[in-house]
Amino acid sequence: MNRSEQNAMQVVNRFLSNGTKKLLIDGEWKESSSQKTLPVINPATEQILTHVALADQRDVDLAVAAAKRAYEDPMWTNMNPHERERLLHKIADLIEQNADELALLETLDQGMPYSNSIWHLKDVVKAFRYYAGWPTRVHGFTNASEGEVFSYTNRESLGVCGAIIPWNAPLMMAAWKIAPAIAFGNTLVLKPSELTPLTAIRLGELIVESGLPKGVVNILPGTGAEAGAAIVAHPDVAKIAFTGSTAVGKNILASAAGTLKKVSLELGGKSPNIIFQDADLDKAIEMAVAAFTLNAGQGCLLGTRVFIQESVYGEVSEKIIEIVKGLRIGSGIEEGTIIGPINNVNQFNKIQDYFKVAQEQGATLAVGGETYANKGYFIKPTVFTDVSNDSRLAQEEIFGPVAVLIPFSDEQDVIQKANAVNYGLAAGIWTNDLSTAHRVSKALKAGTVWINTYMEVDPIYPFGGYKQSGIGREHGQDSMLEYTQVKSVIIRL
Ligand code: NAP
Ligand code: MG
């Protein structure tokens, strides 16, 4: 550890030992109404890091009321767009100043390697800076009209938004919800996963420090069944932005029908990563491994179905397996760790259940397929071959460092196989043939297609899923559509 990392460790230890983490409601840190708390576990050691207060319906009511008051306060609603921009940059500055500490906290709580957390921190800052550009650019149109009429549209904020996020990329997901919600003039109640609440709480402290008006951002760790469901059902919440599993997403869509909220869903994936024979194979192979092992496979957009053209299947699959064998597993704070632990014991067990499924279905285990170490939720990166494209192994999101390798004959064959799945979040194509790249990217049913790259996400690019990978898009121009509503104004002259 270098000096600044040592300092960060001290700050993190102070944060962790400074009592139960509370709820951010109306700019104040409050105990939960139920007084219930939950231990927060370090998945690399299974030790308790600290405790977190759990919000329930009563806390959600308080937070939504605070967010509603903040929304109705002209100080927020009528804020000069340049001032809104300044506040978003101020939050970004504070995150940058505390980046080492936030990254370390993310590694301890979520498990991801520190190098990965640092990378996420850059994306978190980027999100606040990107959305800082929006308040001064929200615009409507002048409509076509007859001579005696003047008509225009305005894009107006929605009101109180509710955001519910998962445990695989906690701080990045928090940033992806908070930054657009406030950039477009809304207020927010955010529920992080109670399994990984710590970086959202620390971010809440920085937001308080930034001078953002009280009640604009409220942060309520709690379970999905209690706090999450209460946010979704609340009549004063105008929109739900959810990231998580497809099963819970469906449940949220159904509950939101009761109050007809706007809903955006960023859900699961089982993304194809397609390697054609003419590709730069070394690059494709290196990235194919990273694309399913990143964050120990706990990522919605990962390329977990690797399709390899028959003529190079032997060579490519051998090299993939070879690289996977050499990946270093360990605690995220150890230097050189590539594969950290799985975040929680339920997910750890779920991945191992898939190893049994693989055995039953006669897939060939090429590497991995077992746990690692006695303490901590470690799973060795795993590759299966001889997997049928319609098997559970090839169709279901495992959310662990597990890939299936499937050969294909030609373009038509791989398009059919790649699309034969309920998900459609992302896809990768590796080829040096421009026409193949364009034809295949057009044919793939996925919200994002990467060509000769993978995992490049940026708030500049709209992100979201086709099919059961979601509804709506985050980022880009689409974020304005998701976080505002349009008003038509018609004036008879
Ligand atoms: P999850 O079980 O769906 O949970 C996501 C969030 O929803 C958690 O905060 C959870 O609370 C909450 N929740 C659960 N039931 C709820 C309910 N009935 N009402 C309201 N909220 C409820 O997902 P996860 O296991 O945390 O995360 C993994 C999943 O997220 C994977 O499927 C992954 O693909 C997906 N994901 C998608 C994206 C994307 O952008 N498309 C990004 C990252 C992850 P609890 O903490 O109590 O469970
Ligand atoms: Mg944890």
Side-chain angles (χ1 to χ4, degrees):
M1 268 194 179
N2 63 32
R3 204 183 169 84
S4 86
E5 285 164 8
Q6 278 171 10
N7 286 344
M9 186 58 107
Q10 279 177 4
V11 179
V12 165
N13 283 336
R14 264 204 306 276
F15 174 81
L16 292 176
S17 56
N18 186 17
T20 298
K21 299 298 140 206
K22 298 181 184 166
L23 316 174
L24 179 60
I25 301 178
D26 208 10
E28 314 275 339
W29 294 96
K30 299 197 167 122
E31 310 262 351
S32 62
S33 301
S34 67
Q35 308 278 323
K36 265 196 232 162
T37 64
L38 195 76
V40 182
I41 308 290
N42 177 344
T45 61
E46 299 179 43
Q47 281 168 348
I48 295 175
L49 291 165
T50 183
H51 289 77
V52 66
L54 286 186
D56 68 11
Q57 165 92 52
R58 289 166 288 177
D59 305 302
V60 168
D61 287 345
L62 291 172
V64 173
K68 193 175 172 198
R69 277 195 307 277
Y71 183 72
E72 286 168 355
D73 188 335
M75 184 188 23
W76 180 244
T77 318
N78 295 338
M79 184 177 272
N80 183 308
H82 292 287
E83 174 60 8
R84 222 188 277 291
E85 172 180 344
R86 192 194 64 78
L87 282 168
L88 282 151
H89 277 304
K90 175 78 189 167
I91 297 170
D93 292 342
L94 287 167
I95 296 169
E96 258 171 355
Q97 286 157 22
N98 294 277
D100 287 350
E101 173 209 334
L102 282 160
L104 195 54
L105 199 55
E106 192 77 315
T107 290
L108 294 174
D109 189 1
Q110 202 284 332
M112 68 175 72
Y114 184 70
S115 54
N116 195 5
S117 308
I118 284 284
W119 179 46
H120 277 206
L121 255 296
K122 294 202 171 96
D123 282 342
V124 166
V125 170
K126 212 189 260 178
F128 280 95
R129 299 231 184 271
Y130 170 79
Y131 283 103
W134 268 108
T136 55
R137 286 159 179 82
V138 180
H139 63 269
F141 291 105
T142 311
N143 296 321
S145 57
E146 61 177 85
E148 297 297 298
V149 167
F150 176 62
S151 164
Y152 60 91
T153 59
N154 261 347
R155 283 244 150 230
E156 296 184 347
S157 55
L158 300 169
V160 179
C161 296
I164 298 173
I165 55 174
W167 44 259
N168 63 320
L171 189 59
M172 193 150 93
M173 292 298 112
W176 283 20
K177 304 296 187 238
I178 295 171
I182 62 181
F184 294 108
N186 303 284
T187 60
L188 184 76
V189 177
L190 170 83
K191 188 197 90 65
S193 167
E194 81 281 3
L195 298 170
T196 53
L198 298 182
T199 45
I201 290 169
R202 182 68 189 112
L203 176 60
E205 293 180 354
L206 298 176
I207 286 174
V208 170
E209 194 181 329
S210 75
L212 194 76
K214 287 196 318 186
V216 169
V217 172
N218 304 273
I219 298 177
L220 301 190
T223 65
E226 284 202 63
I231 295 170
V232 176
H234 203 294
D236 289 335
V237 173
K239 173 203 166 80
I240 296 291
F242 171 76
T243 298
S245 62
T246 294
V248 173
K250 288 178 182 177
N251 187 318
I252 284 178
L253 192 60
S255 332
T259 44
L260 279 184
K261 303 179 159 50
K262 202 173 163 86
V263 176
S264 57
L265 304 174
E266 299 290 353
L267 308 177
K270 187 79 178 178
S271 298
N273 193 9
I274 303 169
I275 304 176
F276 284 95
Q277 60 189 11
D278 72 309
D280 179 336
L281 293 181
D282 288 339
K283 265 196 204 151
I285 289 164
E286 191 192 333
M287 199 52 126
V289 172
F292 78 87
T293 55
L294 185 85
N295 201 13
Q298 303 161 104
C300 54
L301 50 70
L302 297 186
T304 48
R305 292 186 298 150
V306 186
F307 291 100
I308 306 164
Q309 196 152 21
E310 273 161 9
S311 50
V312 293
Y313 181 83
E315 175 194 349
V316 170
S317 56
E318 246 171 58
K319 284 191 181 154
I320 287 178
I321 292 160
E322 211 38 55
I323 297 176
V324 168
K325 280 184 187 154
L327 296 177
R328 188 146 144 202
I329 313 180
S331 158
I333 56 171
E334 277 163 33
E335 217 174 312
T337 291
I338 303 288
I339 309 283
I342 301 303
N343 171 257
N344 57 80
V345 69
N346 283 344
Q347 188 60 27
F348 179 64
N349 292 334
K350 188 181 144 192
I351 297 164
Q352 292 175 71
D353 289 343
Y354 276 101
F355 294 158
K356 287 180 210 134
V357 170
Q359 222 168 22
E360 284 157 23
Q361 297 189 333
T364 302
L365 175 66
V367 55
E370 56 184 357
T371 59
Y372 174 86
N374 302 325
K375 268 279 169 228
Y377 311 129
F378 294 96
I379 292 209
K380 289 187 182 172
T382 301
V383 174
F384 289 104
T385 57
D386 304 310
V387 179
S388 138
N389 196 37
D390 55 13
S391 65
R392 284 186 59 197
L393 217 52
Q395 292 288 318
E396 296 178 14
E397 183 179 54
I398 299 173
F399 226 58
V402 183
V404 296
L405 309 187
I406 300 179
F408 68 91
S409 55
D410 58 17
E411 218 175 285
Q412 282 319 307
D413 182 38
V414 79
I415 289 168
Q416 185 276 327
K417 284 178 169 149
N419 284 337
V421 68
N422 284 333
Y423 294 110
L425 191 60
I429 302 170
W430 296 85
T431 177
N432 280 317
D433 184 317
L434 196 59
S435 302
T436 306
H438 279 294
R439 269 196 310 269
V440 177
S441 93
K442 209 169 178 181
L444 290 175
K445 305 266 183 272
T448 295
V449 177
W450 289 291
I451 298 167
N452 296 334
T453 182
Y454 205 94
M455 297 184 289
E456 287 197 33
V457 286
D458 189 298
I460 296 171
Y461 317 134
F463 181 76
Y466 278 36
K467 299 195 270 186
Q468 296 196 22
S469 287
I471 296 179
R473 295 290 179 274
E474 296 190 285
H475 303 325
Q477 179 90 10
D478 288 66
S479 60
M480 182 168 76
L481 310 182
E482 297 289 347
Y483 283 94
T484 62
Q485 56 196 331
V486 75
K487 177 178 282 172
S488 288
V489 180
I490 300 113
I491 309 165
R492 188 149 286 281
L493 301 171

